[in-house]
Amino acid sequence: MRRVGQRPGDVRVRRGRRRTAIIDVVVRRRRPLRMRMWMVPAAFAAVIALGALLLSLPVAAESGEWTKGSVALFTSASAVCVTGLVRVDTADHWSAFGEVVIALLIQAGGLGVTMYAGALLLVLGRRFGLTERQFFGIELEDVEMHDVRVLLRRVMRFVFVVEGATFALLLPWFVVEDGAREGLWRAAFHAISAFNNAGFDLMGGGRSMTAHAGEPYLLVVMGASAFVGSLSFVTVLNLRRAPGRWSLDTRLVAYGMGGLLLAGMLVLLGSELGSGRVLEGQGAVAALANTFFLSVNRTTGMATVDMSALQDSTSVALMVLMFIGGASTSAAGGIKVGSFMVSVVVVFSTVRGHDRPRAFGREIPPVVVARAIAITMVGFATHAAGTWLLALTESDVGFLRLLFEAMSALANVGWSQGVTTGLSEEGALVVVALMFLGRLGSLLVALSVPDRTENLLRYPEASVRIG
């Protein structure tokens, strides 16, 4: 039967019904990169390698010849680790290009873990998390910073403001001493070196600041800049608040650094001011300026006296001060004054019968105590190992001088009792390793202690004889 409207020959095409197809789509998300403990040491090592390459070039040497690779590596590591130990005099051996490279390496190393970790966070496109806060070693709520860029901007501003102020104060003195052109560069170099606790100088002849022991203005300016650099950005930021609003960390650092500065001055005045001592013949103002400068330089390494002429008792006391060092996340080395102050609080709290260490109305968490103990013990062990290795490679050097040299390298100080320039190739490598471990070791040890321990299994208690 023909339908209406249908003509002969017409073909009717039926459309098929559409069926719903279910397609499984698997979206593979890229796992975000996280901060790892090896990243910051790797960044430091890369900067050291680049610096060694640049310093080995003929253009970096005053003589126009290639510098030995081991010397270039030693100098680069000392600059990046802001130590100041040198095998050749900075002013005499290196050209203007070499001095600029050293200044840039000091600046890169002095910015330290804060800037390196922050730059890595920017590269990885990440914001602050719990792990990142541990890397920076600060409570971001205290300083009101929740973004990487804000932190880096404030740190850079702090660094360049203090360095700029130091440069402005040093410039007139150096211009009078060395002329406009030379004085301009020397003021800039010493401002960078002092604030970053590097210990490098351009005085020439391997004399450090010994020729300027009678210049109180120069010593006070550079000493004050070095002291601020050893306090850290976070501490200085907190110190701007009223004392009642200081965090516990700021209180411990401020009182600890002030006490250690005074202790160093008293040790030097008591041991080195008599007849035949290194401070002999200095007036009251010069003696105070020198003891202040030397006490501050337990984290920096510049010297106004011959360090090899110190009394043995002074050398031992200075080794203890060097070992403690400056504040965490600062340019200074050592086990950090925070670790030392936590240990002091633990001792006093234990003697007073407190079950948990407390100070200024606050209890210190067990994990912080564990980190302080771990850093201190690892520091002692590393110093002992470094001294033992130096005793093997430098058998003709006195043991106390080797102890002093190893501590100076490990604490990133830069004082030497005449050992560095005569080191063997093997001994120089030991010192390079000590400088590198001293710059990053305390951070890595602290991060290796977890915030919380999982006590899934408890063992019976047993007593151990102590004392």
Side-chain angles (χ1 to χ4, degrees), residues 187-316:
F189 185 93
H190 288 92
I192 294 173
S193 181
F195 172 75
N196 290 289
N197 285 220
F200 283 81
D201 66 85
L202 297 179
M203 299 305 179
R207 299 170 298 174
S208 188
M209 307 293 292
T210 54
H212 304 285
E215 302 284 349
Y217 176 82
L218 177 66
L219 302 183
V220 170
V221 170
M222 294 184 64
S225 180
F227 186 74
V228 173
S230 66
L231 286 176
S232 86
F233 160 71
V234 178
T235 302
V236 173
L237 189 65
N238 268 279
L239 286 174
R240 297 190 305 175
R241 301 177 175 180
R245 298 181 60 196
W246 288 355
S247 65
L248 178 60
D249 175 78
T250 299
R251 292 174 186 271
L252 293 179
V253 169
Y255 294 135
M257 292 292 289
L260 292 171
L261 173 63
L262 181 60
M265 294 180 66
L266 292 176
V267 166
L268 290 163
L269 286 172
S271 302
E272 302 295 341
L273 199 57
S275 176
R277 311 294 173 87
V278 294
L279 296 178
E280 180 187 3
Q282 294 187 358
V285 175
L288 284 176
N290 277 270
T291 53
F292 167 76
F293 184 78
L294 290 170
S295 184
V296 166
N297 274 268
R298 67 183 181 82
T299 64
T300 305
M302 292 184 183
T304 55
V305 298
D306 181 6
M307 300 304 293
S308 62
L310 293 175
Q311 301 296 309
D312 289 349
S313 58
T314 307
S315 298
V316 172

